[in-house]
Amino acid sequence: MTMTPQELKDQKETLELINSELAARLARQSESGAKVDTKAVFLVGFAATGAQFLASRSFEPFTGTAAFAAYAVAVGFGISVFNLAEYEDIKPRDVLDTYARSEKGATLGALAGTRVGMFEKNARLHQRKTKR
């Protein structure tokens, strides 16, 4: 989206609103991802504890093997959820170097556009993580 300098000046307040909303949405997206990670950690901990308990008892070959396999699958999926995905975020040095001499409207428009792209990329990572 390109705007003329006059449009940027006229839309400065709207761009501030959009930019702050996008920043808040990225923060909520990050918080949501952290909640998924926390649940995955609990799942892995539960499965590991269950496997240890099962290993300390005598068990039937078929049912014991099936239980260990189920625990292994739970641990595998749990670990795959909290792999260290690289989420996109604003890079402060790049923003300063690129926009320090720009007008406020142009900077707000560019930041909003950047945040939309970051949100879309993070959303794909978050959806994959949630499905696991």
Side-chain angles (χ1 to χ4, degrees):
M1 168 178 99
T2 51
M3 294 181 153
T4 66
Q6 185 59 42
E7 287 175 322
L8 288 171
K9 192 173 190 178
D10 293 343
Q11 297 298 320
K12 184 169 46 173
E13 291 169 5
T14 303
L15 290 170
E16 285 175 343
L17 175 66
I18 291 169
N19 193 48
S20 64
E21 177 55 35
L22 289 172
R25 183 61 184 106
L26 278 171
R28 289 191 304 268
Q29 184 184 49
S30 176
E31 183 180 318
S32 176
K35 288 178 182 178
V36 171
D37 287 344
T38 300
K39 290 174 184 171
V41 168
F42 281 123
L43 173 68
V44 169
F46 175 76
T49 302
Q52 289 173 348
F53 177 76
L54 184 62
S56 69
R57 306 279 182 204
S58 62
F59 57 86
E60 296 294 321
F62 177 74
T63 56
T65 303
F68 274 122
Y71 286 133
V73 168
V75 167
F77 276 111
I79 290 172
S80 74
V81 166
F82 57 80
N83 67 352
L84 298 175
E86 189 170 324
Y87 285 100
E88 289 289 318
D89 200 356
I90 295 282
K91 294 171 181 54
R93 174 59 59 188
D94 292 346
V95 171
L96 180 63
D97 292 345
T98 305
Y99 303 111
R101 291 188 166 88
S102 298
E103 290 186 17
K104 188 174 184 177
T107 302
L108 287 169
L111 285 174
T114 300
R115 284 190 169 125
V116 166
M118 290 185 312
F119 178 82
E120 290 169 345
K121 181 180 179 194
N122 292 346
R124 287 189 296 273
L125 291 171
H126 187 68
Q127 285 176 349
R128 275 187 283 168
K129 183 182 270 197
T130 304
K131 286 180 182 178
R132 287 188 205 146

